[in-house]
Amino acid sequence: MRIRAAAVCLLLLLGACHHSSNAQRAIAHPDPNVITAEEIRKSNESTAYAVIQALRPNMLTARGRSGAVVVFLDNQPFGDLGSLQGLSSLGIEEIRYLSPSEARGEYGPAYSGGVIAITSKR
């Protein structure tokens, strides 16, 4: 009887460890180049700049050889990083950082510092 009780305890312990391991794997780490609508909402920040500064401050740093990060809003040029301070976070669906190489491929060679592409809610 003792052996059976010990075996049951061992199985329960192993099952709990397995469940804990699966739960840890299920936790998603946020994409360092994307800020989602849910993250924006949870941040309680009022401007796009404040959201980025709070959640992904690396997006605010140019990573190319030369040039500054440029902001696009709904695939249209919007301004420099300062323009983010006047953009309300309430209307934003997604903020995505494009590396200099991605930005050049998407928007052309003038964007050697990278792009912050903002998609508004529609």
Side-chain angles (χ1 to χ4, degrees), residues 19 22 27 37 39 45 49 51 60 82 84 89 97-98 103 111 122:
H19 176 74
N22 285 342
I27 296 171
E39 289 178 288
E45 299 292 347
Y49 189 91
V51 168
L60 299 172
L84 294 169
S89 63
Y97 175 80
L98 293 129
Y111 303 102
R122 297 183 187 154

Side-chain angles (χ1 to χ4, degrees), residues 50-110:
V51 168
I52 296 168
Q53 191 171 38
L55 300 176
R56 309 283 195 293
N58 285 343
M59 286 185 178
L60 299 172
T61 305
R63 298 181 199 156
R65 293 183 187 166
S66 64
V69 176
V70 178
V71 178
F72 273 67
L73 178 61
D74 294 327
N75 288 318
Q76 299 297 316
F78 187 70
D80 61 9
L81 291 177
S83 67
L84 294 169
Q85 294 177 344
L87 184 60
S88 171
S89 63
L90 295 176
I92 298 175
E93 181 68 28
E94 180 182 86
I95 301 170
R96 179 176 298 271
Y97 175 80
L98 293 129
S99 69
S101 61
E102 292 170 319
R104 286 190 300 270
E106 183 80 20
Y107 298 108

